[in-house]
């Protein structure tokens, strides 16, 4: 008897192997050689353009998806850059380009900034996600699909064995 092969739908926990490249074919991110990415479908835990394309797919399905910026990490906001004094960061903190920080923005909205450049006396921060304004090219293979547990549905994300940093705290 064949095992049921459920289709991806809201409330399913899905694992995918993926490679993400930009327009020039440079690999930005990939699960190759690592655990697949696990996410709860229908809760905006992965970029919306990819989630939409994965709906109704099944285990073993492979797809290539080009996600426009508006369905990915947003358009690039040229006003998103700013300089802050180096000493606004802890002295003993090793800063790296691409590091992500959460700060309190206006109205206590948490906002995330990325370090774009580091100079001896200042740091350039950018509120744009490093992939903002880019078309994202995903090469995806569906690895597993299972119904989410009650707890996962209540929390709005998958409880995998590996703590991915996909906790964006978006509670609808």
């Amino acid at each position: 008897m064949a095992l049921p092969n459920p289709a991806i739908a809201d409330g399913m926990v899905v694992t995918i192997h993926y490679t993400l490249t930009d327009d020039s074919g440079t690999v930005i991110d990939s699960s190759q050689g690592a655990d697949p990415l696990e996410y709860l479908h229908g809760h905006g835990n992965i970029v919306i353009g990819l989630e939409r394309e994965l709906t109704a797919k099944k285990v073993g399905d492979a797809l290539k998806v080009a996600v426009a910026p508006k369905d990915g990490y947003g358009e690039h906001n040229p006003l998103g850059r700013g300089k802050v004094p180096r000493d606004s960061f802890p002295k003993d903190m090793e800063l790296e380009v691409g590091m992500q920080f959460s700060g309190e923005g206006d109205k206590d909205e948490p906002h995330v900034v990325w370090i774009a450049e580091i100079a001896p006396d200042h740091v350039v921060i950018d509120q744009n996600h490093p992939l903002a304004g880019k078309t994202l090219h995903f090469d995806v293979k569906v690895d597993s699909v299972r119904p989410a547990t009650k707890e996962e549905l209540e929390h709005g994300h998958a409880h995998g064995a590996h703590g991915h940093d996909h906790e964006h705290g978006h509670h609808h």
Side-chain angles (χ1 to χ4, degrees):
M1 207 179 106
L3 288 169
N5 188 2
I8 296 174
D10 290 0
M12 301 298 254
V13 171
V14 183
T15 60
I16 54 173
H17 270 297
Y18 68 96
T19 299
L20 168 59
T21 52
D22 63 15
D23 280 330
S24 63
T26 305
V27 173
I28 299 166
D29 193 13
S30 174
S31 66
Q32 297 307 318
D35 288 332
L37 171 70
E38 181 177 57
Y39 77 95
L40 176 59
H41 194 80
H43 287 259
N45 291 335
I46 58 171
V47 296
I48 198 76
L50 179 58
E51 188 171 70
R52 194 186 301 145
E53 291 293 325
L54 281 165
T55 301
K57 297 286 186 280
K58 295 185 172 186
V59 171
D61 283 351
L63 58 154
K64 287 181 164 44
V65 184
V67 177
K70 69 176 172 50
D71 292 330
Y73 290 101
E75 299 293 347
H76 192 269
N77 176 2
L79 303 176
R81 281 197 167 212
K83 277 188 188 183
V84 291
R86 171 65 179 90
D87 55 22
S88 63
F89 293 95
K91 288 221 182 329
D92 55 0
M93 182 183 247
E94 285 192 31
L95 301 180
E96 291 174 35
V97 170
M99 270 175 91
Q100 182 178 330
F101 286 91
S102 298
E104 294 292 318
D106 311 329
K107 312 190 200 58
D108 292 327
E109 287 280 315
H111 72 264
V112 178
V113 297
W114 285 267
I115 293 184
E117 294 168 35
I118 300 168
D121 59 338
H122 70 267
V123 177
V124 178
I125 58 169
D126 197 332
Q127 292 174 36
N128 291 292
H129 188 282
L131 300 177
K134 290 190 181 348
T135 298
L136 310 174
H137 299 269
F138 287 97
D139 195 335
V140 180
K141 188 165 199 291
V142 180
D143 190 64
S144 71
V145 181
R146 66 169 170 84
T149 64
K150 184 166 163 287
E151 187 186 27
E152 285 172 325
L153 288 172
E154 280 169 7
H155 289 210
H157 54 81
H159 291 205
H162 37 77
H164 273 299
D165 55 354
H166 292 288
E167 307 291 310
H168 298 305
H170 286 311
H171 290 292
H172 300 294

